[in-house]
Amino acid sequence: MYTEEDYQTLTEAMLGILSSHGIQIEATCCCPHLPDAIIPKYRQICDCRKPSTGLFHRVINEHDVELTSSFAIGDSLRDLSICSESDCQGILIGTTENESVTASVRAGSYPNITYEPDLLSAAHSILG
């Protein structure tokens, strides 16, 4: 959907906006792979594409992340896949996920995943 250059441009713009508000992001990463990608170098099955957790583990190791005090936030359960195998707390946001999955999260069916309507609400929840 995006070129590497598009990803880099968007990432730099977002980091600039966040930085202007005093928010420093240590690192960003993405998985460029897709089993049926049009560009051959990206056409592969890998362990860094969600719901696999290889990318999570790479970041955890490279940045010495303590999962018990970390949060994963996403608009689908696949974004929160690290939460099913660790103590990382997950927050499902928005209305993108299937309604029955969102209802299950709200009902507490996922022990360390909660629901918030949006990213701002998730931030408030994390900050208490």
Side-chain angles (χ1 to χ4, degrees), residues 3-4 10 14 18 20 27 32 36 38 43 45 49 61 63 72 93-95 100 103 105-106 111 119 122:
T3 66
E4 287 182 65
L10 177 61
M14 288 189 307
L18 292 169
S20 73
D36 58 353
I38 295 169
R43 191 179 312 131
I45 297 173
R49 184 167 185 81
N61 293 329
H63 298 282
I93 62 171
T95 58
S100 65
V105 169
R106 286 180 173 193
L119 188 55

Side-chain angles (χ1 to χ4, degrees), residues 11-72:
T11 299
E12 289 172 10
M14 288 189 307
L15 293 177
I17 292 168
L18 292 169
S19 180
S20 73
H21 292 281
I23 300 167
Q24 297 303 309
I25 302 297
E26 187 170 332
T28 64
C29 56
C30 73
C31 169
H33 308 122
L34 190 63
D36 58 353
I38 295 169
I39 300 170
K41 73 178 182 176
Y42 299 127
R43 191 179 312 131
Q44 59 180 286
I45 297 173
C46 64
D47 72 344
C48 60
R49 184 167 185 81
K50 296 177 287 187
S52 296
T53 55
L55 192 57
F56 284 108
H57 289 288
R58 186 179 90 202
V59 171
I60 290 163
N61 293 329
E62 287 177 4
H63 298 282
D64 196 28
V65 174
E66 176 55 51
L67 288 176
T68 58
S69 58
S70 297
F71 293 85

